[in-house]
Amino acid sequence: MTSTETAGQPGNDSDSPVRHEETDRDAAPQFVLPLVARIERAEPPARTDALETAARAVLVLLSDERSAGDGEWAAAVRDWQDARIRKVVRRARGAEWRRAEALPGITVTGHRAEVRVFPPVPLDGWPKDLARLQVSGTELDDPEPPGAPAAGAPVLWLNPGLEMSAGKEMAQVGHGAQLAWWELSEEERAAWRAAGFPLSVRAAGRAQWEELTRSGLPVVCDAGFTEIAPGMTVVAEGADRVRSLPR
């Protein structure tokens, strides 16, 4: 699913890298971060597993040495983050997945989920083997309700008032993880990475959601191009939890 996200607190003209209003970011060349979820017909992953794996995949890409400094992906990552932060989640199985794995990228695994993240590409410059993949078909379920979030690890809270496909939610929580990443110092990022980027994705309760959106935590606001109207989708409760990780 396609997702263009904005960030910051509702009604707050913050210094976030991405905003609702028209900015120079809209005039800049537009890039997108491709994520491909492996969804085999016989053994699809659980929904929460796929969401958490997609969020970690974004962090793995951002923290990879190829994305920094003079790394081979660094220019593309900078161009992507200088424009609107767009992510597209597609699904693959069988031969499609094997072709996707042959392209430069990183495969991140969860309990059973597999998500491959690729360096950003221009909106109209997708590699052929990724462009042909479907954005539909990412309907996933949890066999059992997920338990409490992992103690001491960041939590990405989903808006309980929205209905989204799993692919759309994967893009949203990926951006939530990115907002948490932006809040951290280099030392804190290194600690999170060393721990394996532990995190949880959960749907907030309705009263809890209202509190979260007023808490000052980073909020993902979707631009509303697909599936849902523009508005808040994810609150990232991350920085303080990362700071509590063992060093």
Side-chain angles (χ1 to χ4, degrees):
M1 283 296 160
T2 304
S3 182
T4 302
E5 303 95 351
T6 58
Q9 295 305 312
N12 177 20
D13 185 14
S14 69
D15 292 329
S16 167
V18 203
R19 301 183 185 176
H20 274 301
E21 67 268 20
E22 191 81 7
T23 70
D24 289 343
R25 293 177 180 280
D26 297 287
Q30 300 295 303
F31 285 72
V32 62
L33 185 77
L35 297 111
V36 175
R38 184 178 186 181
I39 303 179
E40 302 288 349
R41 287 190 179 91
E43 296 184 4
R47 188 183 186 100
T48 297
D49 186 15
L51 297 180
E52 293 175 348
T53 304
R56 288 194 296 111
V58 172
L59 295 168
V60 168
L61 185 284
L62 290 172
S63 67
D64 192 279
E65 61 183 11
R66 289 167 289 185
S67 298
D70 296 325
E72 61 186 288
W73 299 343
V77 170
R78 284 194 298 270
D79 288 343
W80 168 60
Q81 294 193 111
D82 283 346
R84 292 286 179 177
I85 306 298
R86 301 172 185 260
K87 299 177 181 68
V88 173
V89 178
R90 297 176 183 253
R91 54 94 172 159
R93 59 174 62 102
E96 296 172 333
W97 176 255
R98 291 191 290 274
R99 285 193 292 267
E101 278 200 308
L103 298 174
I106 307 168
T107 297
V108 178
T109 58
H111 296 293
R112 290 178 57 182
E114 293 180 73
V115 176
R116 189 164 180 83
V117 61
F118 302 86
V121 298
L123 281 178
D124 58 355
W126 281 69
K128 178 179 64 177
D129 285 332
L130 297 184
R132 66 177 58 169
L133 298 176
Q134 298 295 313
V135 297
S136 60
T138 59
E139 294 307 322
L140 300 171
D141 297 308
D142 282 315
E144 299 178 359
V155 185
L156 305 174
W157 296 103
L158 289 162
N159 184 339
L162 298 177
E163 291 187 9
M164 294 181 277
S165 68
K168 180 76 171 179
E169 286 188 344
M170 289 166 73
Q172 300 300 306
V173 299
H175 196 66
Q178 191 169 0
L179 296 188
W181 176 258
W182 283 339
E183 285 205 308
L184 300 173
S185 68
E186 290 300 321
E187 181 183 3
E188 291 162 349
R189 291 175 178 179
W192 199 9
R193 181 183 184 184
F197 292 123
L199 58 82
S200 298
V201 175
R202 296 291 186 272
R206 292 187 180 275
Q208 180 189 21
W209 177 253
E210 295 300 322
E211 292 181 11
L212 286 166
T213 58
R214 295 193 299 266
S215 66
L217 293 170
V219 180
V220 177
C221 294
D222 188 70
F225 293 152
T226 60
E227 292 196 24
I228 59 174
M232 297 179 287
T233 57
V234 174
V235 172
E237 186 181 5
D240 287 345
R241 288 173 175 257
V242 169
R243 291 170 186 140
S244 69
L245 291 173
R247 302 292 175 89

